[in-house]
Amino acid sequence: MNQKFHAPKGVAEYVPPDSAGFLAVKSALSRSAELAGYSYVELPIFEDTNLYVRGVGESTDVVSKEMYTFDDRGGRSLSLRPEGTAGVVRAVVEHNLDRAGLPIKLWYAGPFFRAERPQQGRYRQFNQVGVEALGSEDPALDAEVIAIAAEGFQRLGLKGFRLLLNSLGDTATRVHYREILTSFLANLDLDPETTKRAQLNPLRVLDDKRPQVQAMLVDAPLMRDVLSDSAREHHEAVCTYLRELKVDFSDAPRLVRGLDYYTRTTFEFVHDGLGAQSAIGGGGRYDGLMSDLGGQELSGIGYGLGVDRTLLACAAEGLEVTSGQRCQVFLVPLGQPAKLRLFGIAAQLRDHGVSVDLAFDDRSLKGSMRAADRTGAKLAVILGDDDLAAQTAAVKNLSTGDQQTVAIAELAETIQEML
Ligand code: AMP
């Protein structure tokens, strides 16, 4: 017997009818970025491994444990992209996009890869829609980026999401904060793995979800208490703009993110209907990333929204999201001459933007009408030899059952009126 294959473990894949919902989520989230003047970038799904080591941070879980890394045939180490920002910044530097007007505003969409333990809402291949805006430190831009993410969720009709907002301080504050946090953590009775993490990446310990660890962190110093004046002013200005834009948020002084490059504004969108994997998107500002990747010193801000989890969130809220109608008109030929003629009519209707499918395999009228019902089409056009001789066709409304005879010459026009 021939071998039967399965999709690799833990990947998110979508087949009809669910795939229509996936597309709808992706396009709703993309639309907000387009409406705010972001231009599309299509980037490779694998990059030089060092881009992520330098950009995202060697000590992050994403880079140290979760990357799909391989050598190509020329012995170069490549990794499937675990996130979008490093690749976008690489492309900005490589193509000198920063020579044009600032800020540069870009959006992307596509698959990302992390070798995680698969569970509901956590996949090894997942999908994001993201934006990056580089070359402006204006807090209004931070607010705009956050607002368009929220707007994307709202466009889908989502209600049960919350925005958590924090400031991770500027680069100088981070160094100072890291020191005081490291000495606080050194006095705790942490397990060996967490102790190691506390030395490598102390901020990540704050993000530990285990209650016993959280209990030890109650008195941990907060970035909030050591923010420099300029970082505090920036943060307060972001909050003011968000209030003006009527974007609700809650203050989350312990919010840290899994990627090292974030400075100042940091945010996450969570949805309460998703259980453990509640983050449907997140992002923040990065001051040093572009210069770390060989570019000029320009600050940037962006987000990555999880398409898969947003779709789950829609399902949790009982929202029906689908992208347009798959088929509006179904053509039913009875006999070869009618089939040839209907092919021409299909092309003509499609030219007018009507979605059209037709019956293949020379089925009986009954079989073809069953196929028409399955497509969800509104109208069926039935054409037989007698109709052809009379230069007419039967147009049937599939929901009411009403049928009328229409001259073939007027078919395209009549159908458009009936839809
Ligand atoms: P991150 O870059 O980790 O902040 O991810 C941004 C968003 O992508 C998250 O808020 C999730 O919605 C989504 N995401 C990240 N990792 C995964 C994953 N393994 N499976 C599904 N969605 C993910």
Side-chain angles (χ1 to χ4, degrees), residues 307-328:
V307 177
D308 315 272
R309 285 192 203 164
T310 304
L311 183 60
L312 290 172
C314 290
E317 288 194 22
L319 291 172
E320 267 217 29
V321 284
T322 123
S323 55
Q325 212 178 347
R326 185 160 61 94
C327 171
Q328 294 170 288

Side-chain angles (χ1 to χ4, degrees), residues 34-70:
E34 282 177 331
L35 287 174
Y38 287 73
S39 307
Y40 181 66
V41 281
E42 174 70 36
L43 299 179
I45 58 166
F46 56 84
E47 297 263 11
D48 185 329
T49 300
N50 276 323
L51 173 69
Y52 300 116
V53 171
R54 284 205 63 98
V56 179
E58 199 166 6
S59 64
T60 58
D61 282 355
V62 168
V63 169
S64 65
K65 296 190 193 150
E66 296 171 359
M67 278 214 298
Y68 285 98
T69 297
F70 57 97

Side-chain angles (χ1 to χ4, degrees), residues 114 116 121-123 126 128 257 259 279-282 304 306 309:
R114 294 183 191 171
E116 311 206 60
R122 182 177 289 280
Y123 310 111
F126 58 97
Q128 286 186 353
R257 313 233 322 113
L259 317 171
I280 53 173
R309 285 192 203 164

Side-chain angles (χ1 to χ4, degrees), residues 226-305:
V226 295
L227 279 186
S228 66
D229 288 346
S230 72
R232 184 183 310 281
E233 277 162 27
H234 191 270
H235 182 62
E236 280 164 9
V238 174
C239 296
T240 305
Y241 281 115
L242 284 176
R243 285 189 202 104
E244 185 63 29
L245 289 167
K246 308 239 175 326
V247 175
D248 289 337
F249 60 91
S250 36
D251 203 30
R254 283 165 193 275
L255 175 72
V256 292
R257 313 233 322 113
L259 317 171
D260 268 358
Y261 46 66
Y262 288 115
T263 50
R264 298 193 273 178
T265 306
T266 321
F267 57 93
E268 199 151 82
F269 287 91
V270 293
H271 192 281
D272 296 325
L274 292 186
Q277 308 307 319
S278 62
I280 53 173
R285 185 168 273 286
Y286 39 90
D287 288 332
L289 182 61
M290 186 151 157
S291 58
D292 280 351
L293 297 179
Q296 55 169 327
E297 209 152 301
L298 291 181
S299 178
I301 173 144
Y303 61 63
L305 309 182

Side-chain angles (χ1 to χ4, degrees), residues 65-389:
K65 296 190 193 150
E66 296 171 359
M67 278 214 298
Y68 285 98
T69 297
F70 57 97
D71 283 349
D72 73 2
R73 285 160 199 257
R76 287 168 286 255
S77 178
L78 298 170
S79 294
L80 296 185
R81 61 184 186 187
E83 60 90 60
T85 307
V88 172
V89 175
R90 193 265 310 139
V92 166
V93 175
E94 184 167 346
H95 299 284
N96 300 310
L97 298 185
D98 48 330
R99 288 205 192 138
L102 298 176
I104 312 142
K105 296 166 92 180
L106 304 169
W107 74 274
Y108 59 83
F112 292 85
F113 305 85
R114 294 183 191 171
E116 311 206 60
R117 203 163 49 78
Q119 50 189 288
Q120 169 85 332
R122 182 177 289 280
Y123 310 111
R124 293 180 172 174
Q125 176 175 332
F126 58 97
N127 298 273
Q128 286 186 353
V129 171
V131 306
E132 308 294 345
L134 287 109
S136 167
E137 307 201 10
D138 191 338
L141 186 61
D142 301 50
E144 178 191 80
V145 162
I146 294 172
I148 58 176
E151 204 239 327
F153 295 134
Q154 277 155 0
R155 186 179 294 281
L156 288 161
L158 274 177
K159 296 204 165 60
F161 65 90
R162 291 181 291 122
L163 165 62
L164 310 176
L165 182 69
N166 193 17
S167 172
L168 286 181
D170 49 32
T171 317
T173 324
R174 273 185 76 128
V175 174
H176 172 55
Y177 178 63
R178 210 184 140 106
E179 277 165 17
I180 55 173
L181 182 62
T182 307
S183 29
F184 172 85
L185 296 175
N187 289 323
L188 300 182
D189 184 21
L190 298 167
D191 60 84
E193 199 189 327
T194 315
T195 305
K196 207 169 131 209
R197 180 177 301 152
Q199 285 153 4
L200 276 174
N201 201 340
L203 262 72
R204 292 295 293 153
V205 179
L206 294 182
D207 204 26
D208 200 309
K209 301 280 185 285
R210 291 170 297 177
Q212 69 273 28
V213 178
Q214 278 305 323
M216 288 192 262
L217 294 173
V218 172
D219 295 323
L222 290 176
M223 174 66 88
R224 188 60 55 86
D225 303 326
V226 295
L227 279 186
S228 66
D229 288 346
S230 72
R232 184 183 310 281
E233 277 162 27
H234 191 270
H235 182 62
E236 280 164 9
V238 174
C239 296
T240 305
Y241 281 115
L242 284 176
R243 285 189 202 104
E244 185 63 29
L245 289 167
K246 308 239 175 326
V247 175
D248 289 337
F249 60 91
S250 36
D251 203 30
R254 283 165 193 275
L255 175 72
V256 292
R257 313 233 322 113
L259 317 171
D260 268 358
Y261 46 66
Y262 288 115
T263 50
R264 298 193 273 178
T265 306
T266 321
F267 57 93
E268 199 151 82
F269 287 91
V270 293
H271 192 281
D272 296 325
L274 292 186
Q277 308 307 319
S278 62
I280 53 173
R285 185 168 273 286
Y286 39 90
D287 288 332
L289 182 61
M290 186 151 157
S291 58
D292 280 351
L293 297 179
Q296 55 169 327
E297 209 152 301
L298 291 181
S299 178
I301 173 144
Y303 61 63
L305 309 182
V307 177
D308 315 272
R309 285 192 203 164
T310 304
L311 183 60
L312 290 172
C314 290
E317 288 194 22
L319 291 172
E320 267 217 29
V321 284
T322 123
S323 55
Q325 212 178 347
R326 185 160 61 94
C327 171
Q328 294 170 288
V329 180
F330 194 85
L331 308 182
V332 177
L334 302 171
Q336 195 57 25
K339 191 171 171 184
L340 277 174
R341 188 66 194 268
L342 281 181
F343 260 107
I345 291 171
Q348 197 190 356
L349 285 169
R350 288 169 185 157
D351 270 355
H352 284 87
V354 178
S355 65
V356 181
D357 196 359
L358 68 169
F360 289 96
D361 296 317
D362 305 322
R363 296 201 192 150
S364 67
L365 178 62
K366 205 168 151 207
S368 295
M369 293 313 283
R370 256 204 309 270
D373 280 336
R374 268 200 301 270
T375 64
K378 185 167 176 200
L379 303 174
V381 176
I382 305 147
L383 192 70
D385 290 343
D386 294 348
D387 303 304
L388 259 185

